[in-house]
Each structure stands twice: as C-alpha cells, then as structure tokens.
Amino acid sequence: AATTLTAAQSGMTFVLALTAGFAVTLPTPVAGLHYKFYIQIAPVTTSYTIVGTPMSAIVRSSVGGDADSIVDNSAVNIEFDGDASLIGDSAEVWSNGTGWFGLAFCNADAGILVN
C-alpha cells in the first residue's frame, strides 16, 4: 500500500506485489540512504510510483523492448507504468544528501517512466 519510507529502512529491497499500483514516497535526502524496488506482480490498473523530492538524476534503461536509455535530471518520480511494466522490472535509488539518484531497468519499451 501507499507508504513513506524512513531512514531506518535504508538498504531494504521492496517487492511490489499488488495489481493496483500505489505510491512510495522517499524520505528527505540524507547521504548514504538507498532503496531497491522489484516488481513481483505487474500493476494492471494504476502504476507503482517512487516519489522523491528533489530527485537529482534518474537513469532508465530498457533491457527488453527497443527504448534507448534515458537520463532525466529534472524528474521527481520513477513510475512503473500500469500498462507496460512487467514482472522483474526494478529500480534502485540512493541519496548524496542533497537529492536522489535513480537507476531503473524495464523489460518492455516504456515499462518505466521518469517524470
């Protein structure tokens, strides 16, 4: 379900496993915080969204499909799209103390959006 992560949860891997997606909000950036997200059940009706403010840079790479890698230095969200995300898609975020950096992999073109 929708949640806001804490610094105490840093280093954890979160398995996303609901067909109705939800939002996960990152805490205030603190150097060294990091989290991983992995899709176990693909969202069907709505997306899973990782919300971070500010998000310093996000890199999205498609490991299937034909999308090129995307680097977005102004995005604040990583979205596992409800229409295209697949089991196994993943993202990792970490903080330098000022903002959040993200790296995401998807198995289908546009399975992960950065916005």
Side-chain angles (χ1 to χ4, degrees):
T3 191
T4 298
L5 300 181
T6 67
Q9 294 169 303
S10 180
M12 295 180 75
T13 298
F14 296 89
V15 177
L16 308 176
L18 292 175
T19 57
F22 53 86
V24 175
T25 303
L26 299 172
T28 301
V30 174
L33 293 183
H34 64 284
Y35 307 90
K36 294 180 183 180
F37 304 91
Y38 176 82
I39 292 191
Q40 182 180 31
I41 297 175
V44 175
T45 55
T46 54
S47 302
Y48 297 118
T49 305
I50 311 304
V51 180
T53 305
M55 189 77 77
S56 295
I58 301 171
V59 177
R60 181 199 75 158
S61 180
S62 177
V63 294
D66 58 357
D68 293 328
S69 294
I70 295 172
V71 176
D72 190 329
N73 293 319
S74 62
V76 294
N77 300 317
I78 298 173
E79 180 181 346
F80 293 96
D81 187 63
D83 293 324
S85 279
L86 299 170
I87 294 170
D89 289 356
S90 63
E92 183 172 358
V93 296
W94 60 94
S95 176
N96 65 354
T98 303
W100 290 98
F101 295 84
L103 179 61
F105 295 96
C106 55
N107 291 298
D109 191 15
I112 295 176
L113 308 172
V114 293
N115 50 49

